[in-house]
């Protein structure tokens, strides 16, 4: 039976830098998205084709959703690159991670056989990095929108004991958001990989198909949730509150 490793396995190293199978697939996702973006840029026409039309529908749907959350199309267009990048990158990583053949390519490293590819979100480093980026960038957006001192005043408020305690709770909630975002995405994707591995070992033919479709759905939902939590954080941090 295939070994189930919580830690991403090293496939090769460049000097002291270790390249793991999850990091390698992350690079593959980056290259594929870059190639797709360059292709779309060359194919843009005044009268869109099927691919351009589908892309425009996706962009318009996400912009409308962001507008309903942020309250204005101007804000939606301003913060669209961040939210869309998070959603598209995590979605493509999750879908490519369960693509047929990804887990069946093995190579030998240090006398042990390890899978060449592994879903990026099945590595806690990947999800933790995205969670840290989301929390830090949304707070920077808040400071740029309402002012540095006014934004930091939500966390460090010395007007009274109650205000100070509420500020500490707000700060703890931001730190807890990093843990929540990273472990939610990691737990769902890693559990899906383990489930598919066990089911494929026990019944390697048509039985895993329903579970495969389930993991596709879970991967899409988790990417959407991550992006929407980032969007809601932007909405909260950029809102001005009057007492």
């Amino acid at each position: 039976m295939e070994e189930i490793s919580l830690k991403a396995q090293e496939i090769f190293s460049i000097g002291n830098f270790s390249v793991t199978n999850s990091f390698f697939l992350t690079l593959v996702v980056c290259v594929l998205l870059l190639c797709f973006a360059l292709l779309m840029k060359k194919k843009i026409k005044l009268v869109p084709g099927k691919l351009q039309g589908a892309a425009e529908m996706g962009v318009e749907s996400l912009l409308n959703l962001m507008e309903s959350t942020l309250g204005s199309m101007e804000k939606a267009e301003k913060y669209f690159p961040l939210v869309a990048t998070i959603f598209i990158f995590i979605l493509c990583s999750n879908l490519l991670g369960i693509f047929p053949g990804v887990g069946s390519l093995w190579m030998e490293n240090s006398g042990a056989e390890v899978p060449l590819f592994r879903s990026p979100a099945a590595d806690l480093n990947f999800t933790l990095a995205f969670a840290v980026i989301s929390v830090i960038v949304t707070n920077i957006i808040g400071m740029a929108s309402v002012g540095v001192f006014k934004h930091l005043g939500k966390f460090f408020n010395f007007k009274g004991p109650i205000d100070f305690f509420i500020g500490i709770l707000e700060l703890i909630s931001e730190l807890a958001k990093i843990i929540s975002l990273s472990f939610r995405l990691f737990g769902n994707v890693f559990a899906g990989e383990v489930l598919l591995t066990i089911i494929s070992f026990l019944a390697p033919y048509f039985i895993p198909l329903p579970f495969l479709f389930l993991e596709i759905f879970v991967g899409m939902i988790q990417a959407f949730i991550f992006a929407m939590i980032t969007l809601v954080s932007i909405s909260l941090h950029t809102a001005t509150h009057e007492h």
Side-chain angles (χ1 to χ4, degrees):
M1 185 177 181
E2 299 176 5
E3 179 185 356
I4 298 174
S5 174
L6 186 65
K7 180 183 177 182
Q9 299 102 322
E10 178 184 333
I11 53 176
F12 64 89
S13 60
I14 304 174
N16 294 326
F17 183 77
S18 176
V19 178
T20 62
N21 44 15
S22 62
F23 179 72
F24 189 57
L25 187 56
T26 304
L27 294 178
V28 172
V29 174
C30 290
V31 172
L32 290 177
L33 288 177
L34 180 60
C35 293
F36 179 76
L38 294 175
L39 178 64
M40 286 295 297
K41 183 179 179 181
K42 293 181 179 180
K43 296 287 185 179
I44 290 179
K45 298 178 182 179
L46 186 59
V47 180
K50 293 182 179 179
L51 184 60
Q52 182 182 340
E56 290 180 358
M57 285 180 59
V59 169
E60 186 178 357
S61 299
L62 184 55
L63 277 173
N64 291 333
L65 178 61
M66 292 182 64
E67 181 187 12
S68 64
T69 304
L70 298 174
S72 70
M73 182 57 73
E74 182 182 357
K75 281 187 175 182
E77 292 176 350
K78 184 177 181 180
Y79 304 124
F80 176 80
L82 173 65
V83 177
T85 299
I86 289 176
F87 174 70
I88 293 173
F89 197 91
I90 294 179
L91 175 63
C92 292
S93 299
N94 291 346
L95 296 182
L96 198 60
I98 58 176
F99 195 80
V102 168
S104 59
L105 299 175
W106 291 70
M107 64 174 295
E108 186 174 342
N109 182 44
S110 301
E113 288 191 352
V114 296
L116 180 61
F117 299 108
R118 176 175 178 168
S119 178
D123 184 1
L124 188 57
N125 293 305
F126 176 89
T127 60
L128 184 60
F130 263 90
V132 170
I133 290 171
S134 174
V135 172
I136 290 179
V137 172
T138 52
N139 277 277
I140 292 175
I141 289 173
M143 287 186 282
S145 179
V146 301
V148 176
F149 295 105
K150 187 173 183 180
H151 179 76
L152 293 178
K154 294 194 303 183
F155 309 115
F156 307 102
N157 194 329
F158 302 100
K159 293 180 180 179
I162 297 178
D163 294 326
F164 177 77
F165 182 70
I166 292 175
I168 295 299
L169 289 179
E170 288 283 347
L171 183 61
I172 293 174
S173 70
E174 288 297 304
L175 298 176
K177 192 184 298 179
I178 297 177
I179 301 174
S180 173
L181 285 171
S182 57
F183 276 91
R184 179 190 291 111
L185 180 58
F186 166 74
N188 280 276
V189 174
F190 180 74
E193 275 200 350
V194 173
L195 176 64
L196 289 177
T197 300
I198 295 175
I199 295 298
S200 299
F201 175 76
L202 297 176
Y205 295 105
F206 298 104
I207 300 299
L209 284 178
F211 297 95
L212 182 63
F213 288 121
L214 176 63
E215 290 310 311
I216 292 175
F217 176 74
V218 170
M220 295 173 63
I221 290 297
Q222 289 304 314
F224 181 78
I225 289 175
F226 203 107
M228 287 304 103
I229 291 177
T230 303
L231 175 61
V232 171
S233 297
I234 293 174
S235 177
L236 293 175
H237 290 324
T238 56
T240 55
H241 300 281
E242 296 182 359
H243 294 286

